[in-house]
């Protein structure tokens, strides 16, 4: 079934992990044999060929670069200008993939409908470019608010104001506090440009303030439920209800520590923890129970978000295995229509509404 994945860190994997994503997974993982610089070396589950095998024709693809002050222990850049330059390098990789015919940027309703026509009705699967909608994970690299228009002109269509820790515009996962003054200015400019607000990673204080000050379209590209995994990275039921009221879609994430409680990074094993694709459906089903329907769930796998096979569902060897979800959803009582909503329909409906003139 055609599938939309609302969160992949493709450019980060290509540049910081030095992975040639045009290659097969066996080639990528073979080349990393013996490397120990990152915990997921040799465990990659995402490549462009695997996206095609999985009929994943459209993704929300990120840029990401954090600014860190002197007292911030997180990895990142020492100035906003350096962070901006990093995101521009990532943009250059996406453009190189376009030039190679591997990807195509989706920025409006016309390009979306053209791409859907191609994937559903034209060409054999192994020659189709992967459509990507450009998103920025954390706004630290926006040097000044007026840089946002430059980013928009380069194709940026969604933005999460914060990532982990304190940010220049908002506070993210494991931090506390509301928006900075320029955070409200950023939201105002996002609204003017019709850039989607990605509520993912906002800490509770910044989450509620952002929803109060932003009147545009809101989604959560990759979030699970705090009721099932009690951590501030997940959404509380109150936050989920607020997003539902705003017409948001929430993408189910496949990072094991977000799927099952008591995960210990670097020690826990997916099989031993019972972490399989059913666990993501548990989170999706919880959202459906709060909504009373299946109109607000989708896939936002984050499968290349600095982890691999060692920290994702044990019944998933590659991202192409997302095609096992329809049968699992059916076993849980989801209708064919609702399954289509999960795999692509809800994201597609959201984008058509957000980009309607």
């Amino acid at each position: 079934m055609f599938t939309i994945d609302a969160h992949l860190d493709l450019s980060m994997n290509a540049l910081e992990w030095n992975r040639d994503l045009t290659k097969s997974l066996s080639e990528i993982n073979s080349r990393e044999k013996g490397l120990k610089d990152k915990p997921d070396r040799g465990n990659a589950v995402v490549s462009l060929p695997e996206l095609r095998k999985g009929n994943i024709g459209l993704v929300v693809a990120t840029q990401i670069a954090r600014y860190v002050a002197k007292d911030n222990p997180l990895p990142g850049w020492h100035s906003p200008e350096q962070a901006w330059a990093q995101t521009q390098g990532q943009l250059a990789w996406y453009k190189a993939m376009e030039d190679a015919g591997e990807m195509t940027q989706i920025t409006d309703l016309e390009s979306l409908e053209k791409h859907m026509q191609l994937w559903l009705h034209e060409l054999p699967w192994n020659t189709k470019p992967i459509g990507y909608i450009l998103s920025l994970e954390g706004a630290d690299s926006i040097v000044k608010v007026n840089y946002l228009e430059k980013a928009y002109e380069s194709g940026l269509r969604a933005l999460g104001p914060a990532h982990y820790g304190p940010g220049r515009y908002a506070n993210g996962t494991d931090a506390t506090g509301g928006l900075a003054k320029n955070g409200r200015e950023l939201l105002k400019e996002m609204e003017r440009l019709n850039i989607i607000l990605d509520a993912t990673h906002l800490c509770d204080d910044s989450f509620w303030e952002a929803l109060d000050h932003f009147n545009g379209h809101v989604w959560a590209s990759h979030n699970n439920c705090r009721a099932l995994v009690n951590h501030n990275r997940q959404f509380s039921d109150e936050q989920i209800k607020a997003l539902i009221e705003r017409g948001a879609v929430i993408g189910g994430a496949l990072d094991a520590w977000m799927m099952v409680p008591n995960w210990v990074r670097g020690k826990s094993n997916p099989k031993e923890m019972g972490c399989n694709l059913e666990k993501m459906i548990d989170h999706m089903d919880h959202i459906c129970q709060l909504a009373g329907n299946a109109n607000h769930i989708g896939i936002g796998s984050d499968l290349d978000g600095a982890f691999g096979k060692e920290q994702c569902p044990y019944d998933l060897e590659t991202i192409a295995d997302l095609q096992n979800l329809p049968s699992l959803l059916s076993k849980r009582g989801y209708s064919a229509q609702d399954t289509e909503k999960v795999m692509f329909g809800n994201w597609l409906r959201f984008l058509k509404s957000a980009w309607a003139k």
Side-chain angles (χ1 to χ4, degrees), residues 3-6 221 251-252 280 284 298-301 322 325 342-343 347:
T3 303
I4 296 175
D5 190 329
S221 61
M280 182 174 76
M284 289 179 166
I299 299 167
S301 71
L322 289 177
L325 286 174
V342 175
M343 300 303 286
W347 292 123

Side-chain angles (χ1 to χ4, degrees), residues 294-330:
N295 297 335
H296 299 276
I297 56 172
I299 299 167
S301 71
D302 195 23
L303 274 171
D304 53 359
F307 68 97
K309 189 71 184 72
E310 81 291 347
Q311 194 169 300
C312 72
Y314 65 77
D315 52 351
L316 185 145
E317 292 294 328
T318 90
I319 195 168
D321 290 333
L322 289 177
Q323 288 306 322
N324 294 328
L325 286 174
S327 63
L328 295 175
L329 288 163
S330 178

Side-chain angles (χ1 to χ4, degrees), residues 139-169:
D140 287 357
S141 62
I142 302 298
V143 180
K144 297 179 181 178
V145 170
N146 62 7
Y147 271 62
L148 192 59
E149 188 160 11
K150 297 181 185 182
Y152 180 85
E153 290 170 356
S154 295
L156 186 70
R157 293 297 181 269
L159 189 157
H163 189 227
Y164 276 83
R168 296 179 59 235
Y169 293 92

